[in-house]
Amino acid sequence: MFQPRYPITTERLLLRPFTPADLDAVHAYESRPDVARYLYWEPRDRDSSRTFLDKKITRTAVREEGDALDLAVTLPRTGDVIGSVLLIWTSKQHRQGEIGYILHPDHHGHGYAAEAARAMLHLGFTGLGLHRITGRLDARNTASARVLEKLRMRREATLIDNEYVKGEWASEAIYAILDTEWTAQAP
């Protein structure tokens, strides 16, 4: 089992498990059409945000393949929840994982997504001993692609019209980084 010590501190952020008290903050970004635009789900009403928050609250340790760490991204000075960051253990046999992140648009453009995702890459490679970590996104989501590129993840594929999402065909971009590449970046 792998369970990080919380909170996880980065240069400007605290990453911690979600709590029921985070509902207003989570709903504030999950209810926005601009946040849900490139995701599989439509903007969420308060009850849907509560349901998904209940699931996030339980995702604090990785015990087996398919488990995830799903953490609140917070500003240390205020404690405000500005988004979420995710690390999924996708394959035990192949030592693979996947990262994801969502930030409230009011906090875009400050490098917070890359900072939080970098911490999840660190946990994946050093805590879980993963060999490869991917990031998958709607190919139209250029802002998210820039985040992965800041992390020095390489674009490995674009799957053209591979999924039917929200009434239209969507292409998916896949980025990845190996443990050896991650180690080579370390100062």
Side-chain angles (χ1 to χ4, degrees), residues 63-135:
R63 294 172 184 83
E64 59 189 43
E65 183 178 299
D67 285 352
L69 301 176
D70 199 344
L71 305 177
V73 177
T74 67
L75 297 174
R77 288 185 317 277
T78 63
D80 291 345
V81 174
I82 63 168
S84 65
V85 66
L86 176 74
L87 172 66
I88 307 167
W89 187 16
T90 58
S91 174
K92 180 178 181 178
Q93 177 183 359
H94 304 293
R95 293 179 33 221
Q96 294 193 30
E98 180 180 335
I99 59 168
Y101 40 83
I102 299 173
L103 283 187
H104 191 292
D106 290 351
H107 299 281
H108 287 180
H110 302 288
Y112 293 145
E115 187 173 330
R118 186 175 291 110
M120 299 311 265
L121 288 173
H122 176 76
L123 290 175
F125 289 127
T126 62
L128 272 174
L130 297 178
H131 170 66
R132 182 175 192 279
I133 299 176
T134 62

Side-chain angles (χ1 to χ4, degrees), residues 150-183:
K150 282 182 189 175
L151 297 169
R152 298 192 179 154
M153 296 178 80
R154 110 189 111 268
R155 189 173 185 142
E156 291 189 335
T158 301
L159 308 177
I160 306 299
D161 287 355
N162 71 310
E163 295 179 310
Y164 196 72
V165 181
K166 298 179 184 173
E168 64 181 339
W169 287 105
S171 297
E172 179 179 27
I174 300 172
Y175 284 75
I177 188 169
L178 301 175
D179 55 351
T180 52
E181 295 166 324
W182 177 256
T183 303

